[in-house]
Amino acid sequence: MAARRSRALWPLSGRGCSWALLSLRPPWGWTRPMSTEKPGADTHFGFETVSEEEKGDKVYQVFESVAKKYDVMNDSMSLGIHRIWKDLLLRKMHPFSGTKLLDVAGGTGDIAFRFLNYIKAQNQRQQQRELKSHQNLSWEEIAKWYQNSRSPLGESHVVVCDINKEMLNVGKKKAQTLGHKRGLAWVVGDAEELPFDDDKFDVYTIAFGIRNVTHIDRALQEAYRVLKPGGRFLCLEFSQVSNPIISRLYDLYSFQVIPVMGEVIAGDWKSYQYLVESIRRFPPQEEFKEMIEDAGFQKVTYESLTSGIVAIHSGFKL
Ligand SMILES: C[S@@+](CC[C@H](N)C(=O)[O-])C[C@H]1O[C@@H](n2cnc3c(N)ncnc32)[C@H](O)[C@@H]1O
């Protein structure tokens, strides 16, 4: 076992509660797994069948290997569109001053930085509105207003949690470069066994992360546990393209171009091959909605973006 998989991080190893995949829908596709409680069960790593133990290690290696090139690859592969998807996730969340966010599988911090910028911009707009609504203020009063004004973040806070410390290290450096000093914490942890108390966060996000976890149902249960009553679950993930022509073109691009780009830009064909395969193995919108409901969430909805290349699922702990 690799040194990174400490008992604390992987307490479920060897417990044997697992899913077995029934079969693959050829040439690829989603088949709903069944809970079997079978020890040492197999799962999938892209199109490969591997043991559950192996999958954790392999996923870790993928992100350890791509961490330094992760952001540049994201921009190249998606032609920058991942930025718009992430902005839309924030717009859907519409956080307010005081929101406590947990961003799981947060990697290099894209969602966290958007959250902090959103809150700061919102608070500054409100502060300026208040200032403008007061007529005939002297310069001294205006200066005092600015000095006394609350911090642009208020009580808002985001915790970025990821199993991979290499990804988090890249994120921490980015935070320094972008000047995010407050309202941000980085925690190494497994989505399937989050190192947080119950009922702690207002919002839980997971962007392009949940398809990498071994037991999606456990990750969803953990999301439910750590959210406060009234809290919101939001997941941005690759999904199923509905239009057959776009689907064909998307497959061609994914399988013929992305691994080549991975090799040229990051020197890593295999990791990007896994990436496209894992996308095809993730459940389509309706199936994933049911899984979120099975975890206890209510008012579960989803919105497909870019013809279903990705979808944002939302649910509430009520
Ligand atoms: C494709 S990246 C997404 C990063 C970021 N959310 C974004 O949208 O750019 C997937 C992330 O999931 C993390 N990950 C994989 N399995 C995980 C697990 N079981 N628990 C927590 N994070 C995990 C990886 O380390 C990686 O940082």
Side-chain angles (χ1 to χ4, degrees), residues 59 63 70 74 86 105-107 110 162-164 167 189-191 207-209 212-213:
V59 168
F63 290 103
Y70 178 78
N74 258 359
K86 288 169 180 169
D110 274 5
D162 197 290
I163 205 160
N164 195 302
M167 291 289 281
D190 185 348
F208 305 116
N212 297 296
V213 309

Side-chain angles (χ1 to χ4, degrees), residues 66-116:
V66 304
K68 289 200 173 72
K69 295 280 181 180
Y70 178 78
D71 291 319
V72 70
M73 268 305 286
N74 258 359
D75 278 334
S76 323
M77 283 183 317
S78 74
L79 311 171
I81 298 171
H82 76 104
R83 292 170 181 256
I84 299 172
W85 294 331
K86 288 169 180 169
D87 287 345
L88 289 171
L89 179 72
L90 256 293
R91 206 193 288 172
K92 197 175 265 297
M93 184 194 306
H94 191 46
F96 45 85
S97 187
T99 299
K100 305 268 186 289
L101 168 67
L102 173 64
D103 183 39
V104 174
T108 60
D110 274 5
I111 303 302
F113 303 147
R114 276 172 175 73
F115 170 81
L116 294 173

Side-chain angles (χ1 to χ4, degrees), residues 90-297:
L90 256 293
R91 206 193 288 172
K92 197 175 265 297
M93 184 194 306
H94 191 46
F96 45 85
S97 187
T99 299
K100 305 268 186 289
L101 168 67
L102 173 64
D103 183 39
V104 174
T108 60
D110 274 5
I111 303 302
F113 303 147
R114 276 172 175 73
F115 170 81
L116 294 173
N117 291 338
Y118 193 102
I119 297 277
K120 280 181 195 165
Q122 197 184 49
N123 281 351
Q124 274 160 1
R125 271 197 306 273
Q126 183 171 347
Q127 194 181 306
Q128 273 166 2
R129 268 199 304 272
E130 282 173 20
L131 196 54
K132 282 180 191 156
S133 71
H134 288 76
Q135 302 291 325
N136 306 322
L137 289 178
S138 69
W139 172 81
E140 198 183 346
E141 284 169 319
I142 292 173
K144 266 198 189 137
W145 183 289
Y146 271 93
Q147 275 164 18
N148 297 338
S149 66
R150 57 190 176 279
S151 89
L153 268 180
E155 296 296 303
S156 308
H157 190 85
V158 52
V159 177
V160 183
C161 175
D162 197 290
I163 205 160
N164 195 302
K165 63 178 182 346
E166 301 300 327
M167 291 289 281
L168 291 180
N169 284 340
V170 174
K172 284 183 204 168
K173 283 192 192 126
K174 252 167 85 183
Q176 275 174 3
T177 312
L178 296 170
H180 292 296
K181 293 194 188 108
R182 296 186 54 247
L184 178 63
W186 305 87
V187 173
V188 177
D190 185 348
E192 295 188 31
E193 183 117 354
L194 291 171
F196 307 107
D197 293 340
D198 299 357
D199 305 337
K200 204 168 157 53
F201 297 95
D202 301 298
V203 185
Y204 170 110
T205 47
I206 185 159
F208 305 116
I210 203 156
R211 72 174 190 285
N212 297 296
V213 309
T214 307
H215 305 95
I216 297 175
D217 57 350
R218 284 187 201 161
L220 292 172
Q221 283 158 17
E222 280 293 88
Y224 190 86
R225 181 182 66 76
V226 299
L227 275 170
K228 293 177 188 167
R232 187 173 196 185
F233 167 86
L234 283 166
C235 174
L236 171 62
E237 189 51 90
F238 290 103
S239 207
Q240 199 170 66
V241 176
S242 46
N243 181 309
I245 297 168
I246 296 177
S247 172
R248 192 97 192 99
L249 291 172
Y250 177 50
D251 280 345
L252 271 174
Y253 178 73
S254 305
F255 287 94
Q256 306 300 327
V257 180
I258 288 181
V260 180
M261 283 171 92
E263 181 61 33
V264 173
I265 299 172
D268 189 343
W269 178 295
K270 268 167 103 184
S271 294
Y272 286 92
Q273 180 79 29
Y274 160 73
L275 180 94
V276 290
E277 290 180 3
S278 66
I279 290 169
R280 297 313 185 282
R281 295 306 316 261
F282 192 70
Q285 289 86 330
E286 275 297 320
E287 303 267 358
F288 187 48
K289 176 176 181 269
E290 277 174 33
M291 294 172 79
I292 298 168
E293 285 166 343
D294 288 348
F297 288 102

